[in-house]
Amino acid sequence: MKVLRKSAILVIDVQQSFLKKTYWREQEVPAFADKLATLIHGAMAKNVPIVRIMHVEPEGPFSLASGLVKPFEFVPSHHDVEFQKQAHNAFTTTGLQRWLTERGINHVVITGIRTEQCCETTTRVAYDLGFEVDFVTEATLTFPMRHEASGKEFSAEEIRQKTELVLQGRFAEIVNVDQALERMKA
């Protein structure tokens, strides 16, 4: 018997806390914001649940006391549920798995900030938990990083390509926004 796909979008860490990080860069935000909004509005039109995940730490810009653990203004306000996480993935310290399972959701669409960190880690854990995973790279955001030992700087694009390389066919399907919307089922 074929299992029917039932989808949800995970919007991971798209929060104002990042504005206080030294690596924050604005140049790729407009394209990211556009792709994210298109994905969320498309999911809403299909009645696919939108799950907002916020990263919380005890101190600093990711603490609740900072007032920055809230979505960027460019994020569409509609969401079906919000979880706060303290780990790099959206499952370990939240009730996300239970929430998805109780609703019969077996397919998650990954979007958010940082491509190679919380988005990639959530993808791996989701796959290991038995979810079908679509990774929408163009609806993730990251920043250049410098390799400490070699001093080489990796661009955001290089980091996204590396993430696609290690996820594709192992933990997720790499899709664009249009493909993600085509594959979603309420």
Side-chain angles (χ1 to χ4, degrees), residues 15-18 20 55-70:
Q15 63 195 73
Q16 294 180 28
S17 307
F18 282 102
K20 297 297 183 183
H55 188 85
V56 176
E57 295 177 355
E59 298 176 350
F62 287 87
S63 71
L64 295 175
S66 73
L68 298 170
V69 180
K70 58 186 177 185

Side-chain angles (χ1 to χ4, degrees), residues 19-33:
L19 293 171
K20 297 297 183 183
K21 300 305 278 184
T22 58
Y23 54 75
W24 176 259
R25 303 287 182 275
E26 291 284 335
Q27 59 264 35
E28 294 190 29
V29 173
F32 164 70

Side-chain angles (χ1 to χ4, degrees), residues 88-91 115-126:
H88 287 102
N89 76 81
F91 289 94
T115 307
E116 79 292 347
Q117 191 165 311
C118 295
C119 296
E120 182 177 329
T121 306
T122 297
T123 297
R124 291 169 183 263
V125 173

Side-chain angles (χ1 to χ4, degrees), residues 13 24-25 48 56 65 70 79 115 129 137 143 149 161 174 186:
D13 301 349
W24 176 259
R25 303 287 182 275
V48 169
V56 176
K70 58 186 177 185
H79 62 286
T115 307
L129 292 173
T137 312
F143 313 97
Q161 287 177 0
I174 306 301

Side-chain angles (χ1 to χ4, degrees), residues 2 8 13-14 27 32 38 43 51 76 78 80 99 101 107 126 129 131 153 155 158 167 179:
K2 184 176 179 181
D13 301 349
V14 186
Q27 59 264 35
F32 164 70
T38 300
V51 180
H78 175 81
D80 295 275
W99 189 89
T101 303
H107 171 240
L129 292 173
F131 292 93
E153 182 163 300
S155 70
E158 289 171 317
L167 293 180
Q179 291 166 327

Side-chain angles (χ1 to χ4, degrees), residues 83-102:
F83 292 97
Q84 293 179 351
K85 67 179 183 62
Q86 293 80 41
H88 287 102
N89 76 81
F91 289 94
T92 302
T93 61
T94 69
L96 176 60
Q97 180 181 9
R98 182 180 186 175
W99 189 89
L100 295 168
T101 303
E102 287 174 350

Side-chain angles (χ1 to χ4, degrees), residues 107-146:
H107 171 240
V108 293
V109 178
I110 305 292
T111 182
I113 302 176
R114 295 183 65 183
T115 307
E116 79 292 347
Q117 191 165 311
C118 295
C119 296
E120 182 177 329
T121 306
T122 297
T123 297
R124 291 169 183 263
V125 173
Y127 176 83
D128 283 349
L129 292 173
F131 292 93
E132 181 182 355
V133 184
D134 284 353
F135 192 91
V136 189
T137 312
E138 66 183 2
T140 68
L141 181 67
T142 197
F143 313 97
M145 294 174 68
R146 184 171 305 283

